[in-house]
Amino acid sequence: MKKCRIIKEIRGQRAVDGAGVRLVRVLGSNDVKAFDPFLMLDSFDSLEASDYVAGFPMHPHRGIETITYLISGEIEHQDSLGNEGTIRSGEAQWMTAGSGILHQEMPQKSERMLGFQLWLNLPSEKKMTAPSYLSIIKDEIALKCVDGAEIRVLSGSFEEVSGITSRYLPATIYDILVFKGSEINIPVKSEETAFIFLIEGDAWVEEKRVLSKTAVLFDKGESITVMAPPDSDSRFIFFSGKPLQEPISWGGPIVMNTQEELNCAFDELREGTFIKHK
């Protein structure tokens, strides 16, 4: 199989968002072309509750899906669909904002808050689809154990195990733990955008040492090799999805295809007509 070559590395930068949440911003608006269809990636990693308990009070989204996954911690969720729930360690939430949703995510004091939130773009014809919410509990995340590694499949498939199937834009997401001194080969679909994010620990990626909290983007190929250092485990998230190759007009929590659509969304927010569902 043709090995994927590293074409870009992005080290996450400390940032503050929401009502004062300290996080690591990995991908943002400057990276959308290279990482299409993935828009934004934020990572949480803190032992101090004061870094995150202010949370993300009620705010709007349109035109995207958000995937929140916790390796450790707890986040309470509420939205304008009437959904309420708690994301706990080893669980995820897949929210389709579609035509418009208001939601809030409030992290709770935990021994450690470790996880990420990903923004996934919606195709132009699905931007105004009905919003929906999917809670992914621990038992719904398939676990595959191989020699020297564990693969948790949030979405897509790895060998014979499968996670959820996304409704609008098929995307593959794995949480992979590689034990010290071991390596793993990950099959990749050559037509998709594939990258990894080292969420905990450094790793050797295609024979290059890459630091923790770094995203690594690959060119077209069929497999990726990641090896943990001899003295420590490596944990990383694998993402893969087919690029949309569509224009993007992005304003804060809303991502549309044109400036006119973006203006319309903010006009509706001001006028109180943003929410289409009841």
Side-chain angles (χ1 to χ4, degrees):
M1 291 192 296
K2 179 187 174 184
K3 291 285 187 180
C4 297
R5 181 175 56 90
I6 296 174
I7 56 175
K8 192 170 190 177
E9 294 179 44
I10 299 178
R11 186 84 191 275
Q13 301 295 316
R14 295 189 181 278
V16 178
D17 207 338
V21 177
R22 298 180 185 275
L23 48 78
V24 174
R25 178 138 299 159
V26 187
L27 304 181
S29 57
N30 294 330
D31 308 304
V32 292
K33 187 173 181 180
F35 286 81
D36 180 18
F38 305 102
L39 296 168
M40 192 190 80
L41 178 64
D42 283 345
S43 175
F44 325 115
D45 189 356
S46 179
L47 301 174
E48 299 293 335
S50 58
D51 286 344
Y52 54 79
V53 290
F56 304 89
M58 200 66 73
H59 58 280
H61 284 297
R62 175 179 285 180
I64 63 172
E65 296 188 285
T66 69
I67 298 99
T68 305
Y69 175 65
L70 288 180
I71 294 171
S72 175
E74 187 173 298
I75 297 177
E76 291 185 354
H77 168 269
Q78 219 173 9
D79 66 34
S80 53
L81 291 171
N83 294 303
E84 293 184 40
T86 302
I87 312 168
R88 296 183 172 85
S89 300
E91 298 184 342
Q93 172 208 91
W94 195 300
M95 187 189 77
T96 302
S99 61
I101 197 169
L102 301 176
H103 82 149
Q104 67 176 20
E105 296 164 300
M106 305 302 290
Q108 304 298 299
K109 185 177 180 180
S110 307
E111 184 175 337
R112 183 182 185 186
M113 183 67 62
L114 177 64
F116 70 83
Q117 182 172 98
L118 174 78
W119 288 13
L120 181 64
N121 205 3
L122 280 171
S124 57
E125 70 274 13
K126 300 296 183 183
K127 289 283 189 187
M128 296 298 285
T129 195
S132 60
Y133 169 88
L134 176 63
S135 175
I136 307 171
I137 62 174
K138 196 170 185 177
D139 290 347
E140 294 172 320
I141 297 176
L143 174 63
K144 172 70 176 180
C145 296
V146 299
D147 186 27
E150 296 177 348
I151 303 96
R152 289 167 175 82
V153 183
L154 279 74
S155 61
S157 300
F158 185 91
E159 296 183 357
E160 75 280 6
V161 301
S162 298
I164 70 148
T165 300
S166 52
R167 294 174 62 190
Y168 300 107
L169 186 69
T172 298
I173 305 175
Y174 307 144
D175 168 16
I176 301 179
L177 175 62
V178 184
F179 302 117
K180 58 186 179 182
S182 299
E183 72 173 30
I184 185 169
N185 291 303
I186 309 157
V188 177
K189 296 176 181 177
S190 59
E191 72 276 13
E192 295 190 351
T193 300
F195 77 99
I196 65 171
F197 172 61
L198 274 62
I199 196 164
E200 188 176 23
D202 300 349
W204 289 91
V205 184
E206 298 302 329
E207 301 183 351
K208 180 179 182 181
R209 179 111 185 196
V210 179
L211 300 179
S212 183
K213 310 306 183 199
T214 300
V216 181
L217 178 67
F218 299 91
D219 69 353
K220 304 304 180 185
E222 298 173 309
S223 72
I224 294 165
T225 301
V226 179
M227 183 172 70
D231 57 349
S232 62
D233 298 343
S234 295
R235 194 161 194 165
F236 65 93
I237 312 299
F238 171 85
F239 303 93
S240 181
K242 192 171 182 179
L244 291 172
Q245 298 180 330
E246 294 179 352
I248 290 174
S249 190
W250 184 343
I254 296 170
V255 183
M256 304 302 289
N257 294 111
T258 68
Q259 186 62 44
E260 289 76 15
E261 291 170 336
L262 197 60
N263 292 342
C264 177
F266 283 106
D267 286 344
E268 290 178 357
L269 276 170
R270 286 189 290 269
E271 296 164 1
T273 59
F274 181 77
I275 299 300
K276 309 300 182 185
H277 56 276
K278 298 296 182 182

